[in-house]
Amino acid sequence: MPTYSLTLLSGGLDSTTVTAYAVGRSDHLTALTFHYGQTHGKEVGCAARVASVLGVEHKLLDVAFLREVAWYSALTNPEAFDVPKDTSAIGTDIPITYVPLRNTMFLSLSAALLESKVLNLLGGGDLETVYDLIPSMETKAESFAIGAGGFFSNRAQVYGLIENLKALKARDEGDWKAFEAHVKEGFWKSPEISNMFGMSRFVTERHESQAQQEAMAHIRLPLDLAIQSADGSSTTLAEMVAGQKAVLLDFWASWCGPCISLMPELKHKAEVLPDQGVFVAGMNTDRSDQVRLAREGQEKHGMDMPWLIEPESSPYSSALMINSIPRMILVGPDGNVLFNGHPMDPQLSVTLVSLGVSL
């Protein structure tokens, strides 16, 4: 299994030696340097050069607040305290170059960064890498440290983790039968691990999606309803879908953070899908000042595509049972709903493939 490690690299001899020693002993090594306005600022530059020579990832973390907290030191407050010029000036008491609890804070922040890397990996940062570990985890399940010496408090948690990873993999692949089986097994073995992964949310989303799909099977969206564009023109679904395999509508709002963060994904779809017969457009759902907000969003994020504004009565949101955004809708030539879900739902890709289209 790959390992993730972190060293504290100040740029001095000791930390350089430790970092050099760590190279090759970890699959993912990060050298972390703290900049807190210390007097010996040139070490920060040395740290960057050392990391470059050693070929490891280097992260510089600005912790300037330390000067306000640990101010009783010549390194953080040179205006009040002089840095000793030679060892005879240091004396036998606590040296004035000592920074109160500096290492304690550095270790805490380092642990937080390392844990965040692991959580990001487990939470979707690079799940493909995690999925590749499943066979190895199954083989070594009995060798994981248990209790005070390890992450797991009992052996069942190890197997619960494996089952939850299998569930996520099945979800990404759209294998809902396997997803259900692994979710049940994972929860039975370790409810706490399942809760850590937020499995109840994924299950709820699946049930809601199924109910929605059943409802969508009987819905035909009106093709002749006039829809205003941000540029002042007007269009209809009929015009958009004419000669196309489908229309892909992205429902968003200016206040929706997740919508904004997915704008690059929408832009990518707008670049690759039209040539394959799928018309792509954004649909603003702000409830007031829509034209201005839609235009601002389009200009700010460089969305060079049809930019629509949902009519005031929200006819599409109502018919499509949209209770949360971002939401992406794939509409067929006769107004039938082919997909209704989150823009990153794997089922969207599956549906597009069924139309002979790929992302």
Side-chain angles (χ1 to χ4, degrees):
M1 292 178 60
T3 55
Y4 289 77
S5 303
L6 186 148
T7 63
L8 302 187
L9 180 60
S10 68
L13 180 60
D14 293 343
S15 63
T16 296
T17 302
V18 170
T19 302
Y21 177 82
V23 172
R25 289 175 167 80
S26 176
D27 299 297
H28 302 275
L29 175 63
T30 300
L32 179 61
T33 301
F34 292 99
H35 187 273
Y36 54 94
Q38 60 267 48
T39 303
H40 300 309
K42 64 181 181 181
E43 286 190 340
V44 174
C46 291
R49 291 192 291 274
V50 168
S52 177
V53 170
L54 294 177
V56 301
E57 177 190 7
H58 182 238
K59 186 173 182 63
L60 177 62
L61 191 61
D62 186 354
V63 288
F65 69 87
L66 191 58
R67 296 191 65 179
E68 301 296 325
V69 178
W71 56 268
Y72 196 84
S73 170
L75 296 187
T76 57
N77 194 1
E79 294 82 7
F81 307 100
D82 294 327
V83 177
K85 302 301 181 182
D86 54 65
T87 55
S88 63
I90 295 178
T92 58
D93 295 328
I94 297 176
I96 196 58
T97 52
Y98 166 73
V99 180
L101 286 182
R102 179 188 63 180
N103 290 345
T104 300
M105 287 185 274
F106 283 0
L107 289 174
S108 296
L109 292 171
S110 301
L113 176 62
L114 188 58
E115 184 174 348
S116 294
K117 282 178 172 288
V118 175
L119 289 174
N120 178 60
L121 189 68
L122 293 176
D126 188 9
L127 281 179
E128 290 299 326
T129 300
V130 180
Y131 296 156
D132 291 341
L133 300 179
I134 293 176
S136 176
M137 294 177 68
E138 290 183 300
T139 301
K140 300 177 180 179
E142 291 296 322
S143 64
F144 279 90
I146 301 298
F151 173 79
F152 303 101
S153 59
N154 56 66
R155 189 68 58 192
Q157 288 185 340
V158 178
Y159 291 102
L161 173 62
I162 294 172
E163 290 297 327
N164 277 280
L165 289 176
K166 287 182 176 180
L168 290 178
K169 184 173 185 291
R171 175 179 177 270
D172 285 353
E173 295 172 347
D175 186 347
W176 299 111
K177 184 176 181 181
F179 172 74
E180 180 179 348
H182 291 306
V183 166
K184 289 179 178 177
E185 188 67 17
F187 187 81
W188 180 256
K189 291 184 179 299
S190 178
E192 58 274 23
I193 295 294
S194 294
N195 290 335
M196 183 184 77
F197 276 89
M199 279 300 167
S200 61
R201 175 171 60 87
F202 292 133
V203 172
T204 299
E205 288 177 353
R206 174 56 182 164
H207 286 313
E208 291 178 345
S209 176
Q210 286 180 305
Q212 194 173 64
Q213 288 175 14
E214 293 176 4
M216 293 302 106
H218 305 289
I219 288 179
R220 292 293 182 273
L221 294 179
L223 297 178
D224 57 352
L225 181 64
I227 308 173
Q228 183 183 356
S229 296
D231 62 7
S233 62
S234 180
T235 187
T236 64
L237 276 178
E239 293 176 355
M240 287 184 273
V241 80
Q244 306 287 332
K245 296 177 181 178
V247 172
L248 187 64
L249 299 174
D250 182 77
F251 284 71
W252 70 283
S254 61
W255 50 262
C256 172
C259 299
I260 303 303
S261 67
L262 286 176
M263 287 295 178
E265 290 289 338
L266 175 57
K267 183 182 293 187
H268 171 70
K269 291 179 174 68
E271 292 171 350
V272 303
L273 294 182
D275 289 342
Q276 302 180 68
V278 178
F279 189 97
V280 180
M283 179 79 82
N284 180 269
T285 62
D286 279 294
R287 294 280 64 88
S288 62
D289 207 6
Q290 280 184 280
V291 175
R292 179 182 65 81
L293 292 173
R295 286 176 178 171
E296 288 180 354
Q298 185 177 31
E299 293 173 2
K300 180 177 181 179
H301 302 287
M303 309 306 286
D304 186 19
M305 67 185 75
W307 214 238
L308 311 176
I309 297 171
E310 185 174 23
E312 187 175 352
S313 60
S314 305
Y316 293 112
S317 292
S318 298
L320 294 166
M321 303 168 59
I322 297 179
N323 55 12
S324 65
I325 51 175
R327 183 71 64 90
M328 198 158 271
I329 309 296
L330 189 65
V331 185
D334 60 352
N336 57 315
V337 180
L338 305 176
F339 172 82
N340 181 345
H342 191 278
M344 301 307 291
D345 187 331
Q347 188 59 40
L348 174 58
S349 295
V350 173
T351 305
L352 288 172
V353 168
S354 71
L355 298 177
V357 177
S358 64
L359 289 171

